[in-house]
Amino acid sequence: MSSRSYYDVLEIEETASDAEIKRAYRRLARLHHPDKNPAGAELFKEISHAYDTLSDPGRRAAYDQFGHGGAADGAYDGFDMGGMDDGFFGEHAFGGYGPPPPPPAETHPLAVTLEDLFRGKKVRVKLVRSAICRQCKGVGGKRSALRECFACHGKGFRISARQVAPGLFSQAQLQCTACRGSGKVVPESGRCRKCKGAGAVDEKDSVELSVEPGMADGQRITLRGRGDQRPGQDPQDLVFVLRQEAHGTFRRVGDDLSVRAQIDLAEALGGFSRVLLTHIDGRQLEVSHRSGVLQPGDVLCIRGEGMPQEKRPRSRGDLFVVLDILFPDRGWRPDPALGALLPRAAQDAAPGRPHSPASVVVGRPISSDAYKRRMPEQPRRAHDT
C-alpha cells in the first residue's frame, strides 16, 4: 500500500465535500479500472481503498486524526460512553467523577553501595525525558489546522462505565487518549515536522541526586516535576529507588551493623587491646577487651559505631563484632607447664564410673570433610521431630 495521502490519491483537497469525493472517485475509477487499463490494477485498489475511507464520516475523521494505520475501526475497547449524554447517571451517581488524576510518577532504580549510604553521596544521572515541543508549543502542528477530536467530540475526556452489580453501574471520567485531553487533533498534512504531531519530543537531560547518610535500601528520592511531560499534562515526578549492593564485609539491619573479626586463642583467654578491624569509612578501630574468656561466636557490642541516622548523622546505631577464634596449627606443641595453668573443666566433667576399668585408645584428628563422607547426615524421621 502506498504511503501517499488518501486525498492525494483521489486528487482532492482535505476540505473536499462528500460530493467532491464521490466525483473524484468515479473519474479515477473509470480511468484506471483493470478492464480498461490492466496495468492500473494496483492503483485502482489504492483509489478504492481511499474512497472507502474518506466516504465514511467516522473513518474519515479517524484517518484525519491518526493517518495510515489509525484507529479508524474504534479508538477504545470496552464499554465507552463517550457519545452518550453526560447526565445518563448524573454527575455524582455512584461516586461521580472529577478531574483526571495526575500522571503517575516515573520510577528508576539507583544502585548504591553501603559506603554511599554510610558517608552520603552526590550522584548525577543522565536520562532522556519527553518535553513539550518548542517548535509547535505542544500543539502538534499548525493551530489553524486544529480540528475537533472525533473520539471525544472536543471534550477532552470520555465517560467509561462498568457494571458492578445487576442493574448497577459505576462510571469514571478518563482522559481522551486520541487528543490527550486537549479536545483537538491535527490532520496528518498539518502536523509539526519536529514532533510528528505528538506535541512532545525526547531530549537529553541530567539530574543531581543527594544520597544522605543513613538512607536505606528501598528508600525513594523524589524530584518533583522532572519527569516526562505531555501536552495538556503536568510533568511527571521523577522517583529513584535506592538499591543497595551486597557488601563483602559488613551487614546492616536498620541503624546497626555487624562484622566478623578474628582473634587468636591467647587473646580469647587473656584479653586484648589492638586494631581489630577497618570501618566502612576507612577508620581503623582499636578494640579493647579485658573481662573474661571469649568463646567462638561471642559478640562484642561497640556503641555508636553503627550506621548514621538519616537527618541526625551525629547519632549512630551500634556495631556488633562476631568473633572467630583462631586455634594453633596442628603441629604446635605447647609447653607442658601450660597445662598446669589452664582450667581442666572438660577432664573434670568427663563421664566415668568409680572403680570401673578404662580402655586406653588413641585419637587421630581427621578433616571435617572426611568425617562427613564417613558419617553423612540422615534425614530426620517424622517421630524424631
Side-chain angles (χ1 to χ4, degrees):
M1 184 65 64
S2 171
S3 60
R4 290 194 302 161
S5 164
Y6 289 159
Y7 294 99
D8 292 339
V9 172
L10 295 181
E11 300 176 0
I12 56 177
E13 300 293 333
E14 291 184 2
T15 56
S17 64
D18 292 343
E20 290 173 333
I21 293 173
K22 185 178 294 185
R23 285 197 300 269
Y25 168 71
R26 288 176 178 175
R27 177 178 60 83
L28 294 172
R30 285 195 300 267
L31 184 62
H32 299 286
H33 196 280
D35 291 344
K36 296 182 178 181
N37 183 9
E42 290 298 322
L43 181 56
F44 179 79
K45 291 181 181 179
E46 189 175 2
I47 293 169
S48 299
H49 188 74
Y51 174 74
D52 290 342
T53 300
L54 300 182
S55 62
D56 183 276
R59 296 179 65 184
R60 180 181 181 182
Y63 174 76
D64 288 344
Q65 179 172 334
F66 297 104
H68 292 290
D73 294 327
Y76 307 106
D77 294 327
F79 186 7
D80 185 358
M81 298 180 60
M84 302 184 72
D85 182 8
D86 291 347
F88 183 78
F89 293 111
E91 183 177 359
H92 301 288
F94 313 121
Y97 51 86
E106 181 182 345
T107 304
H108 300 277
L110 179 66
V112 291
T113 64
L114 188 57
E115 286 83 356
D116 296 334
L117 300 177
F118 189 91
R119 300 169 177 165
K121 183 179 181 181
K122 298 290 184 182
V123 182
R124 181 159 292 277
V125 179
K126 295 181 180 180
L127 48 86
V128 177
R129 62 189 295 269
S130 178
I132 298 299
C133 177
R134 295 186 179 91
Q135 185 167 315
C136 67
K137 305 297 190 295
V139 175
K142 300 177 181 178
R143 290 188 179 276
S144 58
L146 287 176
R147 295 183 180 180
E148 181 181 282
C149 176
F150 83 97
C152 65
H153 306 291
K155 297 177 182 178
F157 64 88
R158 62 187 180 91
I159 307 301
S160 178
R162 64 184 181 90
Q163 188 172 0
V164 295
L168 183 63
F169 292 83
S170 68
Q171 63 177 354
Q173 177 178 316
L174 304 177
Q175 185 184 72
C176 177
T177 55
C179 63
R180 300 184 295 273
S182 67
K184 301 291 184 181
V185 295
V186 183
E188 185 175 13
S189 60
R191 291 176 183 172
C192 172
R193 294 183 179 180
K194 184 175 182 180
C195 66
K196 304 296 189 278
V201 294
D202 290 340
E203 62 179 25
K204 295 181 179 180
D205 194 7
S206 64
V207 294
E208 185 175 79
L209 307 175
S210 179
V211 179
E212 300 295 338
M215 282 187 164
D217 179 50
Q219 195 163 341
R220 301 160 70 90
I221 300 176
T222 301
L223 303 180
R224 302 294 181 188
R226 295 300 302 273
D228 288 341
Q229 184 175 13
R230 302 291 181 183
Q233 297 182 357
D234 293 331
Q236 293 177 290
D237 292 340
L238 199 56
V239 177
F240 290 88
V241 182
L242 300 182
R243 291 287 180 255
Q244 180 194 320
E245 300 172 350
H247 197 277
T249 305
F250 289 85
R251 186 169 70 93
R252 177 185 183 180
V253 178
D255 293 332
D256 296 328
L257 292 170
S258 70
V259 65
R260 301 192 76 92
Q262 294 180 332
I263 60 175
D264 57 36
L265 181 59
E267 292 174 319
L269 298 176
F272 61 90
S273 179
R274 65 175 176 87
V275 173
L276 189 61
L277 57 98
T278 301
H279 211 321
I280 294 177
D281 57 3
R283 290 179 298 123
Q284 292 187 318
L285 295 187
E286 182 175 329
V287 181
S288 176
H289 175 76
R290 298 293 188 187
S291 57
V293 174
L294 293 171
Q295 299 182 2
D298 279 357
V299 180
L300 301 179
C301 177
I302 304 176
R303 299 290 186 184
E305 284 293 346
M307 289 292 295
Q309 298 178 7
E310 187 185 5
K311 299 180 180 179
R312 300 174 57 194
R314 295 185 179 180
S315 299
R316 293 186 175 182
D318 297 331
L319 173 63
F320 299 100
V321 183
V322 183
L323 297 175
D324 294 324
I325 298 177
L326 298 177
F327 282 78
D329 294 336
R330 298 186 188 278
W332 179 71
R333 293 292 181 265
D335 189 321
L338 181 61
L341 299 176
L342 297 177
R344 315 290 292 185
Q347 181 173 315
D348 295 340
R353 300 171 65 183
H355 313 296
S356 175
S359 300
V360 179
V361 296
V362 177
R364 294 184 177 87
I366 65 171
S367 68
S368 58
D369 290 337
Y371 169 73
K372 290 177 181 179
R373 287 194 298 269
R374 297 286 297 274
M375 297 294 294
E377 292 186 3
Q378 300 292 330
R380 300 183 64 180
R381 293 169 293 186
H383 57 75
D384 291 335
T385 60

Coordinates of all heavy atoms in Angstrom, one line a residue, residues 64-104:
D64 N -8.1 11.4 9.4 CA -7.6 12.8 9.5 C -6.8 12.9 10.8 O -5.9 13.7 10.9 CB -8.8 13.8 9.5 CG -9.4 13.9 8.1 OD1 -8.8 13.5 7.1 OD2 -10.5 14.5 8.1
Q65 N -7.2 12.2 11.8 CA -6.6 12.3 13.1 C -5.3 11.4 13.2 O -4.3 11.9 13.7 CB -7.5 11.9 14.2 CG -6.9 12.0 15.6 CD -7.9 11.8 16.7 OE1 -9.1 12.1 16.5 NE2 -7.5 11.4 17.8
F66 N -5.4 10.2 12.8 CA -4.4 9.2 13.0 C -3.5 8.9 11.8 O -2.4 8.4 11.9 CB -5.0 7.9 13.5 CG -5.6 8.0 14.9 CD1 -7.0 8.0 15.0 CD2 -4.9 8.1 16.0 CE1 -7.6 8.1 16.2 CE2 -5.5 8.2 17.3 CZ -6.9 8.2 17.3
G67 N -4.1 9.2 10.6 CA -3.3 8.9 9.4 C -3.4 7.4 9.1 O -4.3 6.7 9.6
H68 N -2.5 6.9 8.3 CA -2.5 5.5 7.9 C -2.3 4.6 9.2 O -1.5 4.9 10.0 CB -1.3 5.2 7.0 CG -1.5 5.8 5.6 ND1 -2.5 5.4 4.7 CD2 -0.9 6.9 5.0 CE1 -2.4 6.2 3.6 NE2 -1.4 7.1 3.8
G69 N -3.1 3.6 9.3 CA -3.0 2.6 10.4 C -3.6 3.2 11.6 O -3.4 2.6 12.7
G70 N -4.4 4.2 11.5 CA -5.0 4.8 12.7 C -6.2 3.9 13.2 O -6.6 2.9 12.6
A71 N -6.7 4.4 14.3 CA -7.8 3.6 15.0 C -9.1 3.9 14.3 O -10.1 4.3 15.0 CB -7.8 3.9 16.5
A72 N -9.2 3.7 13.0 CA -10.5 4.0 12.4 C -11.6 3.1 12.7 O -12.8 3.4 12.6 CB -10.3 4.0 10.8
D73 N -11.3 1.9 13.2 CA -12.3 0.9 13.5 C -12.7 1.0 15.0 O -13.3 0.0 15.5 CB -11.8 -0.5 13.1 CG -11.7 -0.6 11.6 OD1 -12.5 0.1 10.9 OD2 -10.8 -1.3 11.2
G74 N -12.3 2.0 15.7 CA -12.7 2.1 17.1 C -11.5 2.5 17.9 O -10.6 1.7 18.0
A75 N -11.6 3.6 18.6 CA -10.4 4.1 19.3 C -10.3 3.4 20.7 O -9.3 3.4 21.3 CB -10.5 5.6 19.5
Y76 N -11.4 2.9 21.2 CA -11.4 2.3 22.6 C -12.0 1.0 22.7 O -12.8 0.6 21.9 CB -12.2 3.3 23.5 CG -11.7 4.7 23.5 CD1 -12.5 5.6 22.8 CD2 -10.5 5.1 24.0 CE1 -12.1 7.0 22.7 CE2 -10.1 6.4 23.9 CZ -10.9 7.3 23.3 OH -10.5 8.6 23.2
D77 N -11.5 0.2 23.6 CA -12.0 -1.1 23.9 C -13.0 -0.9 25.1 O -12.8 -0.1 25.9 CB -10.9 -2.1 24.3 CG -10.0 -2.3 23.1 OD1 -10.6 -2.3 21.9 OD2 -8.8 -2.6 23.3
G78 N -13.9 -1.9 25.2 CA -14.7 -1.9 26.4 C -16.0 -1.1 26.2 O -16.3 -0.6 25.1
F79 N -16.6 -0.8 27.3 CA -17.9 -0.1 27.2 C -17.6 1.4 27.3 O -17.2 1.9 28.4 CB -18.7 -0.5 28.4 CG -20.1 0.0 28.5 CD1 -20.6 0.8 27.4 CD2 -20.9 -0.2 29.6 CE1 -21.9 1.3 27.5 CE2 -22.2 0.4 29.6 CZ -22.7 1.1 28.5
D80 N -17.6 2.1 26.2 CA -17.3 3.5 26.2 C -18.6 4.3 26.1 O -19.4 4.1 25.2 CB -16.4 3.8 24.9 CG -15.9 5.2 24.9 OD1 -16.3 6.0 25.8 OD2 -15.2 5.5 24.0
M81 N -18.7 5.3 27.0 CA -19.9 6.1 27.0 C -19.7 7.5 26.5 O -20.4 8.4 26.8 CB -20.5 6.2 28.4 CG -20.9 4.8 29.0 SD -21.6 4.9 30.6 CE -22.9 6.0 30.4
G82 N -18.5 7.7 25.7 CA -18.2 9.0 25.3 C -19.2 9.7 24.5 O -19.4 10.9 24.5
G83 N -20.0 8.9 23.7 CA -21.1 9.5 22.9 C -22.4 9.6 23.6 O -23.4 10.1 22.9
M84 N -22.5 9.2 24.8 CA -23.8 9.2 25.5 C -24.0 10.5 26.2 O -23.0 11.3 26.5 CB -23.9 8.0 26.4 CG -23.8 6.7 25.7 SD -24.0 5.3 26.8 CE -25.7 5.4 27.1
D85 N -25.2 10.8 26.7 CA -25.5 12.0 27.4 C -24.7 12.0 28.7 O -24.7 11.0 29.4 CB -27.0 12.1 27.6 CG -27.4 13.3 28.4 OD1 -26.5 14.2 28.6 OD2 -28.6 13.4 28.7
D86 N -24.0 13.1 29.1 CA -23.3 13.2 30.3 C -24.2 12.9 31.5 O -23.7 12.6 32.6 CB -22.5 14.5 30.4 CG -21.4 14.6 29.4 OD1 -21.1 13.6 28.8 OD2 -20.9 15.8 29.2
G87 N -25.4 13.2 31.4 CA -26.3 13.1 32.5 C -27.0 11.7 32.6 O -27.9 11.6 33.3
F88 N -26.4 10.7 31.9 CA -27.0 9.4 31.9 C -27.2 8.9 33.3 O -28.3 8.4 33.7 CB -26.2 8.4 31.1 CG -26.7 7.1 31.0 CD1 -27.8 6.8 30.1 CD2 -26.3 6.0 31.8 CE1 -28.3 5.5 30.0 CE2 -26.8 4.8 31.7 CZ -27.8 4.5 30.8
F89 N -26.2 9.0 34.2 CA -26.3 8.6 35.6 C -26.4 9.8 36.5 O -26.6 9.6 37.7 CB -25.1 7.7 36.0 CG -25.0 6.4 35.3 CD1 -24.0 6.1 34.4 CD2 -26.0 5.4 35.6 CE1 -24.0 4.9 33.8 CE2 -25.9 4.2 35.0 CZ -24.9 3.9 34.1
G90 N -26.0 11.0 36.0 CA -25.9 12.1 36.9 C -24.5 12.3 37.3 O -23.7 11.3 37.4
E91 N -24.0 13.5 37.5 CA -22.6 13.8 37.8 C -22.1 13.1 39.0 O -20.9 12.7 39.0 CB -22.4 15.3 37.9 CG -21.0 15.7 38.1 CD -20.8 17.2 38.1 OE1 -21.8 17.9 38.0 OE2 -19.7 17.6 38.3
H92 N -22.9 12.9 40.0 CA -22.4 12.3 41.2 C -22.9 10.9 41.5 O -22.8 10.3 42.5 CB -22.8 13.2 42.4 CG -22.2 14.6 42.3 ND1 -20.9 14.8 42.5 CD2 -22.9 15.7 42.0 CE1 -20.7 16.1 42.3 NE2 -21.9 16.7 42.0
A93 N -23.5 10.2 40.4 CA -24.0 8.9 40.6 C -22.9 7.9 40.9 O -21.9 7.9 40.2 CB -24.8 8.4 39.4
F94 N -23.1 7.1 42.0 CA -22.1 6.1 42.4 C -20.7 6.7 42.5 O -19.7 6.1 42.1 CB -22.1 4.9 41.3 CG -23.5 4.5 41.0 CD1 -23.9 4.5 39.6 CD2 -24.4 4.0 41.9 CE1 -25.1 4.1 39.3 CE2 -25.6 3.6 41.5 CZ -26.0 3.6 40.2
G95 N -20.6 7.8 43.2 CA -19.3 8.4 43.4 C -19.0 9.5 42.5 O -18.1 10.2 42.8
G96 N -19.7 9.6 41.4 CA -19.4 10.7 40.4 C -18.0 10.6 39.8 O -17.4 9.6 39.8
Y97 N -17.5 11.7 39.3 CA -16.2 11.8 38.7 C -15.7 13.2 38.8 O -16.4 14.1 38.9 CB -16.2 11.3 37.2 CG -17.3 12.0 36.4 CD1 -17.0 13.2 35.7 CD2 -18.5 11.4 36.2 CE1 -17.9 13.8 34.9 CE2 -19.5 12.0 35.4 CZ -19.2 13.2 34.8 OH -20.1 13.8 34.0
G98 N -14.4 13.3 38.8 CA -13.8 14.6 38.9 C -12.7 14.8 37.8 O -12.7 14.1 36.8
P99 N -11.8 15.7 38.0 CA -10.7 15.9 37.0 C -9.9 14.7 36.9 O -9.7 13.9 37.8 CB -10.0 17.1 37.6 CG -10.3 17.1 39.1 CD -11.7 16.6 39.2
P100 N -9.2 14.5 35.8 CA -8.3 13.3 35.6 C -7.2 13.3 36.7 O -6.8 14.3 37.1 CB -7.8 13.5 34.2 CG -8.7 14.4 33.5 CD -9.3 15.3 34.6
P101 N -6.8 12.1 37.1 CA -5.8 12.0 38.1 C -4.5 12.5 37.5 O -4.2 12.5 36.3 CB -5.7 10.5 38.4 CG -6.2 9.9 37.2 CD -7.3 10.8 36.7
P102 N -3.6 13.0 38.4 CA -2.2 13.4 37.9 C -1.5 12.2 37.3 O -1.7 11.1 37.6 CB -1.6 13.9 39.2 CG -2.2 13.2 40.3 CD -3.7 13.0 39.9
P103 N -0.6 12.5 36.4 CA 0.2 11.4 35.8 C 1.0 10.7 36.8 O 1.5 11.3 37.8 CB 1.1 12.1 34.8 CG 1.2 13.5 35.3 CD -0.1 13.8 35.9
P104 N 1.1 9.4 36.6 CA 1.9 8.6 37.6 C 3.4 9.0 37.6 O 3.9 9.4 36.6 CB 1.7 7.1 37.1 CG 1.4 7.3 35.7 CD 0.7 8.5 35.5

